[in-house]
C-alpha cells in the first residue's frame, strides 16, 4: 500500500502544473483513496479553467436550414425531399465549448460524483462545477476514443487534467477483442506503474541536470549494422549517462503486486526471470554502442512480501542490480534512496 500523499508527490514530478500555485497546499491534505486525490486535482484544475473560460473548438454540424450556411449537401437535400420545400442540408463548422476535451472532463466529473471513494465535501465542490459545462454534451467514459485526444499549443493546459482522466479510465475499464468492459472493482496497478515510471524519470531529470537523463530506444547490436523490422523495439524507462565518462545506468521501473517469483518444484523464491533477461539484454546491447561502462538496475516498488529484490550481480563485467523502493515511507526517505542509487551505481 502506498501513502496517498506520496502519490501526489510523485505526480508533482510527473506533471509540472502540480508544482504551480493552487496545488501546493494539497500535500498537507488527508486522502483516504487515490480516487479522492484525483477528484481534488480535477476540481482545482477545472476551477482554474473558469478564470480563462473553457477551451472552444470547431464542431462539424449538419442540419436542414432555410438559409444557406457553410457548404450545401445537394445530394442529401434532393434525396430527403426538403429541397422542394425551399430548404437545404448544410454542413458547417461551429465555434463551440462542446469540444471533445470538455466532454471528457464533464464525463469524469459525473463519474467521480458516483464514486463511493470520493469524500462528501469534495463532491460538493465538484457539483458546483457542473453548470460550467452546461453547453457541453455528456459523454460516457466508456465511449471515449482516446485516439482523438491530440495536444497542441492551444490546448496544452488540458494535458494534465486529461492525463488524470486517463488514469481513472484505465483503472475503471478493461478492453477485449469484443470491446470495452467495466471492471468489477478499480484496478490501479497499471495507473500506479505509469505514475511510478514517469516520477522516476522526472525526478532524476530534475535533481541530476549534470547527466543526460532520458528514455530512448536501445539499438540492437547487430553484426551487419542494419536494424530489422522483425526485431522487437527496446524502449527504455530511464537511461542516465555521464557526459564526461560516458558511463551509463539503465533503470527499468517495475510495479507489481508481487515482485518475486514463487519457486517451482521445491526451488527457492527468485527474481522474475523475464525481468532479469530484459535488463541484461538492454545492458549488453547498449554496451555495444557505448565507450563507457554500462550498468542496469531493476527498480521495483516494494511490496508487502517477506522477501523483496535486493542484490547486485556481475555479468560479463557489467553490473546489474535489483532493488526495492518503499513508496510507503516518508517522501524524504524516498528521495534519499533514489539519490543513493546515483551515488553508488559505478
Amino acid at each position: 500500500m502506498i501513502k496517498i500523499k506520496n502519490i501526489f508527490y510523485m505526480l508533482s514530478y510527473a506533471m509540472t502544473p502540480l508544482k504551480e500555485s493552487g496545488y501546493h497546499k494539497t500535500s498537507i491534505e488527508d486522502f483516504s483513496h487515490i480516487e479522492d486525490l484525483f477528484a481534488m486535482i480535477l476540481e482545482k484544475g477545472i476551477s482554474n479553467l473558469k478564470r480563462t473560460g473553457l477551451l472552444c473548438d470547431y464542431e462539424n454540424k449538419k442540419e436542414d436550414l432555410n438559409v444557406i450556411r457553410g457548404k450545401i449537401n445537394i445530394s442529401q437535400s434532393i434525396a430527403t425531399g426538403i429541397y422542394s420545400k425551399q430548404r437545404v442540408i448544410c454542413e458547417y463548422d461551429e465555434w463551440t465549448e462542446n469540444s471533445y476535451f470538455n466532454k471528457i472532463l464533464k464525463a469524469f466529473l459525473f463519474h467521480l460524483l458516483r464514486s463511493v471513494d470520493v469524500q462528501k465535501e469534495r463532491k460538493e465542490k465538484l457539483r458546483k462545477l457542473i453548470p460550467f459545462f452546461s453547453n457541453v454534451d455528456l459523454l460516457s467514459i466508456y465511449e471515449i476514443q482516446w485516439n482523438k485526444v491530440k495536444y497542441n499549443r492551444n490546448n496544452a493546459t488540458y494535458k494534465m487534467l486529461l492525463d488524470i482522466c486517463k488514469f481513472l479510465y484505465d483503472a475503471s475499464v478493461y478492453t477485449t477483442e469484443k470491446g470495452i468492459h467495466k471492471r468489477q472493482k478499480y484496478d490501479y496497478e497499471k495507473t500506479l506503474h505509469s505514475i511510478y515510471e514517469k516520477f522516476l524519470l522526472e525526478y532524476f531529470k530534475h535533481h541530476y541536470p549534470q547527466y543526460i537523463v532520458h528514455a530512448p530506444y536501445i539499438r540492437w547490436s547487430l553484426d551487419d549494422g542494419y536494424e530489422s523490422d522483425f526485431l522487437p523495439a527496446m524502449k527504455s524507462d530511464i537511461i542516465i549517462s555521464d557526459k564526461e565518462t560516458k558511463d551509463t545506468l539503465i533503470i527499468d521501473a517495475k510495479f507489481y503486486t508481487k515482485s518475486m517469483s514463487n519457486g517451482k518444484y521445491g526451488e527457492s523464491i527468485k527474481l522474475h526471470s523475464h525481468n532479469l533477461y530484459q535488463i541484461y539484454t538492454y545492458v549488453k546491447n547498449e554496451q555495444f554502442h557505448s565507450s563507457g561502462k554500462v550498468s542496469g538496475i531493476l527498480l521495483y516498488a516494494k511490496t508487502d512480501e517477506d522477501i523483496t529484490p535486493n542484490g547486485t550481480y556481475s555479468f560479463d563485467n557489467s553490473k546489474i542490480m535489483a532493488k526495492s523502493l518503499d513508496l510507503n515511507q516518508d517522501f524524504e526517505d524516498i528521495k534519499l534512496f533514489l539519490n543513493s542509487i546515483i551515488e553508488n551505481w559505478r
Side-chain angles (χ1 to χ4, degrees):
M1 188 64 184
I2 305 174
K3 289 181 179 180
I4 303 298
K5 286 184 180 180
N6 283 351
I7 295 176
F8 174 76
Y9 293 138
M10 291 163 64
L11 282 169
S12 296
Y13 278 93
M15 299 177 173
T16 303
L18 286 179
K19 298 177 184 178
E20 298 172 357
S21 176
Y23 294 99
H24 65 281
K25 294 181 181 179
T26 304
S27 60
I28 62 175
E29 293 189 34
D30 292 324
F31 298 95
S32 57
H33 196 276
I34 188 172
E35 216 166 52
D36 193 33
L37 171 63
F38 287 166
M40 181 283 304
I41 294 173
L42 284 182
E43 181 268 317
K44 289 186 181 296
I46 294 172
S47 296
N48 289 338
L49 289 179
K50 289 180 68 175
R51 302 190 188 102
T52 57
L54 288 176
L55 174 73
C56 290
D57 201 355
Y58 285 106
E59 181 182 29
N60 182 260
K61 289 196 171 186
K62 181 192 292 186
E63 57 183 335
D64 62 284
L65 303 170
N66 58 5
V67 294
I68 296 175
R69 183 175 182 183
K71 180 182 177 182
I72 301 175
N73 191 317
I74 297 176
S75 59
Q76 285 193 18
S77 298
I78 295 174
T80 56
I82 67 169
Y83 191 73
S84 61
K85 300 176 183 178
Q86 296 185 335
R87 297 179 67 85
V88 289
I89 293 178
C90 296
E91 296 180 20
Y92 60 93
D93 291 330
E94 184 176 68
W95 188 247
T96 174
E97 291 181 342
N98 195 36
S99 68
Y100 205 63
F101 282 27
N102 292 330
K103 289 178 183 178
I104 293 174
L105 290 182
K106 184 172 182 176
F108 280 96
L109 280 179
F110 278 88
H111 174 76
L112 290 167
L113 284 171
R114 292 190 293 267
S115 172
V116 297
D117 295 315
V118 177
Q119 295 180 23
K120 182 179 179 181
E121 296 79 5
R122 196 92 59 204
K123 287 184 178 181
E124 289 302 315
K125 293 181 179 180
L126 293 177
R127 283 192 185 94
K128 292 179 180 179
L129 296 173
I130 296 299
F132 187 47
F133 291 85
S134 58
N135 297 323
V136 178
D137 294 340
L138 181 58
L139 181 72
S140 167
I141 69 168
Y142 309 111
E143 298 172 346
I144 295 173
Q145 300 176 48
W146 291 100
N147 60 344
K148 286 188 175 182
V149 177
K150 307 293 183 183
Y151 297 105
N152 55 47
R153 186 181 301 177
N154 296 325
N155 59 32
T157 54
Y158 273 65
K159 186 177 188 311
M160 183 198 71
L161 297 178
L162 294 194
D163 282 347
I164 293 294
C165 291
K166 186 61 164 62
F167 287 147
L168 286 165
Y169 176 87
D170 288 339
S172 304
V173 306
Y174 64 96
T175 57
T176 66
E177 291 182 358
K178 295 182 179 180
I180 295 174
H181 299 275
K182 182 179 179 180
R183 295 186 187 276
Q184 295 299 314
K185 62 179 182 178
Y186 293 112
D187 179 4
Y188 281 103
E189 182 173 327
K190 180 180 178 181
T191 295
L192 291 174
H193 188 180
S194 179
I195 294 172
Y196 178 57
E197 183 181 315
K198 291 178 181 178
F199 156 64
L200 292 175
L201 176 64
E202 296 304 324
Y203 180 88
F204 291 121
K205 276 186 179 180
H206 179 77
H207 292 285
Y208 293 92
Q210 68 272 35
Y211 297 133
I212 299 172
V213 181
H214 56 161
Y217 284 92
I218 296 172
R219 292 177 293 166
W220 287 94
S221 55
L222 301 175
D223 291 338
D224 57 11
Y226 293 97
E227 293 285 353
S228 170
D229 293 337
F230 296 105
L231 290 176
M234 291 189 289
K235 179 67 171 68
S236 64
D237 292 340
I238 305 114
I239 291 185
I240 302 174
S241 300
D242 189 313
K243 299 174 186 177
E244 296 181 1
T245 66
K246 309 301 180 183
D247 290 347
T248 299
L249 175 65
I250 302 174
I251 300 176
D252 203 17
K254 300 297 183 185
F255 194 104
Y256 300 135
T257 51
K258 285 192 173 184
S259 56
M260 301 292 284
S261 175
N262 293 329
K264 296 181 179 179
Y265 311 113
E267 295 179 352
S268 59
I269 294 175
K270 301 179 183 296
L271 292 170
H272 287 291
S273 58
H274 57 279
N275 292 166
L276 191 57
Y277 296 152
Q278 181 183 26
I279 192 65
Y280 177 81
T281 302
Y282 285 4
V283 167
K284 301 316 291 183
N285 280 277
E286 183 66 20
Q287 182 70 73
F288 182 83
H289 301 285
S290 175
S291 59
K293 293 181 180 179
V294 180
S295 304
I297 179 169
L298 293 167
L299 189 51
Y300 292 88
K302 189 176 181 181
T303 66
D304 56 2
E305 296 169 283
D306 293 332
I307 301 175
T308 55
N310 183 26
T312 301
Y313 314 96
S314 179
F315 298 94
D316 298 329
N317 296 319
S318 294
K319 183 167 69 171
I320 293 179
M321 298 163 280
K323 300 292 181 182
S324 299
L325 171 57
D326 184 1
L327 295 172
N328 201 37
Q329 61 185 324
D330 289 341
F331 198 74
E332 288 302 314
D333 292 325
I334 291 175
K335 293 168 66 175
L336 288 174
F337 180 92
L338 295 177
N339 294 342
S340 70
I341 287 176
I342 302 301
E343 294 166 3
N344 300 317
W345 63 279
R346 284 174 288 187

